[in-house]
Amino acid sequence: MNSSPSAPPTAPTANRTTRPPLGPTWFAAVMGTGIVANAAVTLPWTFPGLRTGAMVVWLGAALLLVLLATGYLRQRALRLHAGDPVMAQFLGAPPVALLTVGAGALLLGRPLIGSEAALDVDWVLWSLGTVLGLVTACTVPYLMVTRHRFAPDAAFGGWLMPVVPPIVSAATGALLIPHAPAGQLRLALVLGCYAMLGLGLIAALLVIALIYGRLIHHEAPSGAVVPTVWIGAGALGQAVAALGALAAAAPSVLPAPYARGTAVCALLGGLGVWGFAMLWLTLAAGLTVRTIRTGLPFAATWWSFIFPVGACVTATNTLAAQTGSDAFKWLAVASYGLLVLAWIVVAGRSALHAAGHMGRGMTEGHGHHPAVGAATRVAGTAPLRGSVRADEPPVAEARATRLDPAGEVVGAGLTVDEE
């Protein structure tokens, strides 16, 4: 149970709670499904039926994006999620979902909707995803500094989600550079993509350092939090892909010396970042195997396995194209095979969870849950900041939100005294 400050309640004993049907974490399903489709296009070799299958998967991601966006906007839970120190982190998932589906439209959607329509869809989704991503990258850290309070062991992989969207904007924006009007607009797009890459990558490295410090100095994470460790590899992999994509587009915009410099930076810098991504991927895999032995409950965070692995696939494909290395080519193909298998497992479990969730919603009527009770009284009325653990008594008259095992908000309200 997480607690956060709120405006003074109109009724101190109010205890009603509501159940928003989904949280922003589920947009990671769009991210994962979309990158499974997009990564297929970047593979060094073509396989029979692969592109057709990728097109079908992209259509599924686009449909899922529409359904989730419609449901999320209807429930009007944005302020509730922004006020929660855990759920606020995952507000970075919707922008990345938009960017991933938009890139898929340009890579895979042309045979279905035509080249012009595919380009228009990508421009719209990229623009919307970029704006939302920049807002998230600025707003969530601001809330973390000024509103939320965290324990020394609070850092987890989800802290990367708010700063990842600008990196994805840089990688997917490179696809639009050849289609931008020549001149200042195309130059602005290139420079903006590099700036967003720097914004996201440097911020991601800072957060990764915090997560590594938490892993070293505190007890290892367990349960549904463990998959979020993989997000670090996703941020690094997207940075490598962005460097390569921008280097390929730069010669049409930048003067020759700088265009050659982008190619050198993409190769040497990309190799270094890729190596760090492999280290982080190994660490995440080790923690996951360790957790599976004791039990890894299903949660929306399982989608944290998919997009990061997909980002590493695209990064490896990028380096394979730049170097011509057969080792990178085989590694990319093998990684993509593992990605598809993991996606099938996670998508299947998510479908079962969604079916059970809908069934519970039908039997619970309007979805109201019992009040969040309190078993103790605390003097004073100062606002409470930070987190309240499940094994600790809650504080009276504090605004609290409750999360289910899937990471969704299942209730929100005020704790009350019980004498």
Side-chain angles (χ1 to χ4, degrees):
M1 182 171 66
N2 300 300
S3 60
S4 58
S6 61
T10 56
T13 59
N15 59 9
R16 292 180 302 170
T17 61
T18 59
R19 183 189 177 96
L22 59 90
T25 48
W26 284 105
F27 283 89
V30 180
M31 296 166 49
T33 302
I35 204 165
V36 168
N38 296 349
V41 181
T42 66
L43 291 177
W45 300 304
T46 58
F47 299 91
L50 179 61
R51 194 175 186 89
T52 301
M55 191 183 305
V56 173
V57 173
W58 170 74
L59 283 174
L63 177 60
L64 184 59
L65 175 63
V66 172
L67 294 175
L68 289 177
T70 301
Y72 189 78
L73 292 175
R74 283 181 177 177
Q75 69 185 13
R76 299 180 181 180
L78 178 59
R79 293 186 63 183
L80 176 65
H81 291 156
D84 185 276
V86 174
M87 297 302 291
Q89 309 303 323
F90 294 97
L91 291 175
V96 178
L98 291 167
L99 295 166
T100 306
V101 172
L106 197 59
L107 294 172
L108 294 162
R110 296 183 183 186
L112 295 175
I113 60 178
S115 297
E116 292 186 5
L119 182 60
D120 291 340
V121 169
D122 193 15
W123 273 117
V124 171
L125 294 183
W126 182 84
S127 301
L128 182 58
T130 297
V131 171
L132 291 178
L134 290 173
V135 170
T136 302
C138 296
T139 302
V140 174
Y142 177 80
L143 291 175
M144 294 174 70
V145 171
T146 61
R147 183 173 181 180
H148 302 153
R149 291 294 178 267
F150 301 94
D153 62 345
F156 75 113
W159 283 16
L160 285 161
M161 285 302 301
V163 299
V164 166
I167 305 178
V168 183
S169 288
T172 56
L175 299 175
L176 292 169
I177 291 174
H179 304 283
Q184 288 298 314
L185 289 177
R186 186 177 296 181
L187 177 62
L189 181 58
V190 171
L191 299 180
C193 286
Y194 270 109
M196 289 188 290
L197 173 59
L199 183 162
L201 178 58
I202 294 174
L205 292 175
L206 291 174
V207 176
I208 288 174
L210 292 174
I211 297 170
Y212 186 71
R214 179 253 185 272
L215 295 175
I216 293 296
H217 294 292
H218 301 279
E219 188 175 345
S222 60
V225 176
V226 172
T228 65
V229 179
W230 292 67
I231 299 175
L236 298 170
Q238 275 292 287
V240 175
L243 284 170
L246 289 171
S252 65
V253 182
L254 299 178
Y258 300 106
R260 289 195 295 270
T262 61
V264 173
C265 180
L267 178 57
L268 300 183
L271 279 170
V273 176
W274 182 87
F276 183 33
M278 294 302 103
L279 169 63
W280 196 263
L281 200 64
T282 302
L283 176 61
L287 290 172
T288 302
V289 171
R290 176 180 181 271
T291 305
I292 289 175
R293 292 175 179 174
T294 57
L296 179 61
F298 175 77
T301 53
W302 275 34
W303 284 101
S304 300
F305 294 131
I306 307 303
F307 188 85
V309 175
C312 289
V313 171
T314 58
T316 306
N317 285 328
T318 298
L319 294 175
Q322 291 174 317
T323 62
S325 168
D326 288 339
F328 276 123
K329 292 178 181 178
W330 283 108
L331 183 58
V333 172
S335 299
Y336 185 75
L338 294 176
L339 171 65
V340 172
L341 291 176
W343 174 75
I344 291 173
V345 172
V346 176
R349 291 296 302 271
S350 298
L352 292 175
H353 172 82
H357 188 75
M358 293 177 62
R360 290 196 303 271
M362 294 177 63
T363 60
E364 291 170 359
H366 296 290
H368 291 290
H369 285 254
V372 181
T376 187
R377 176 179 297 179
V378 176
T381 58
L384 177 69
R385 288 181 170 88
S387 298
V388 179
R389 299 183 184 276
D391 57 352
E392 296 176 352
V395 178
E397 297 186 6
R399 179 70 175 177
T401 56
R402 299 162 57 208
L403 306 179
D404 68 8
E408 299 179 22
V409 176
V410 298
L414 298 173
T415 59
V416 296
D417 281 325
E418 291 181 355
E419 302 187 71

